Amino acid sequence: SQAIFKNDKLLRGVEDRVPYTMGGIDAGKKGLTVSRTGSISCFSRIDGTIGTTPHASANILAQARLVDAGYGVKYNSTNDNYTVQTDNGEMIFTRRALRNGKLS
């Protein structure tokens, strides 16, 4: 399970690395070139680093990666959001509204 963040300000220790291509994010595309990585402070049990690129469509952290690291993840279908346990308590992830009025 992978992770990719658009906003590198959500990561700590961001640094340049040898570029790699991450596929499977945008259907039909060649993948994203990632040349910077960092870590996310509220998920200390997640092994490795998280790639960051301004070309990502969003900040994406795979649910499987969170569960494998021992973090609780609950989906609320009424509110259409996820509640995730972090090192610092709960965090709620919601979909954002796009310019055309649809949800991401």
Side-chain angles (χ1 to χ4, degrees), residues 4 9 19 22 28 63-64 77 99:
I4 187 81
K9 291 177 177 52
M22 183 176 181
Q63 179 177 336
S77 61
R99 289 184 182 142

Side-chain angles (χ1 to χ4, degrees), residues 13-64:
V14 176
E15 58 188 18
D16 293 337
R17 60 152 291 139
V18 174
Y20 66 94
T21 301
M22 183 176 181
I25 299 295
D26 295 319
K29 306 280 178 158
K30 294 181 180 180
L32 295 171
T33 299
V34 177
S35 60
R36 296 176 54 79
T37 58
S39 61
I40 188 164
S41 60
C42 62
F43 296 110
S44 64
R45 295 190 304 264
I46 291 180
D47 292 330
T49 58
I50 295 172
T52 180
T53 175
H55 304 293
S57 57
N59 303 308
I60 302 168
L61 185 57
Q63 179 177 336

Side-chain angles (χ1 to χ4, degrees), residues 42-86:
C42 62
F43 296 110
S44 64
R45 295 190 304 264
I46 291 180
D47 292 330
T49 58
I50 295 172
T52 180
T53 175
H55 304 293
S57 57
N59 303 308
I60 302 168
L61 185 57
Q63 179 177 336
R65 194 166 182 185
L66 291 167
V67 171
D68 290 350
Y71 294 102
V73 178
K74 295 179 193 170
Y75 177 67
N76 181 321
S77 61
T78 302
N79 296 329
D80 193 19
N81 64 28
Y82 286 89
T83 300
V84 178
Q85 292 294 325
T86 74

Side-chain angles (χ1 to χ4, degrees), residues 14 23 27 62 71 87 94 104:
V14 176
Y71 294 102
D87 297 338
T94 60
S104 62

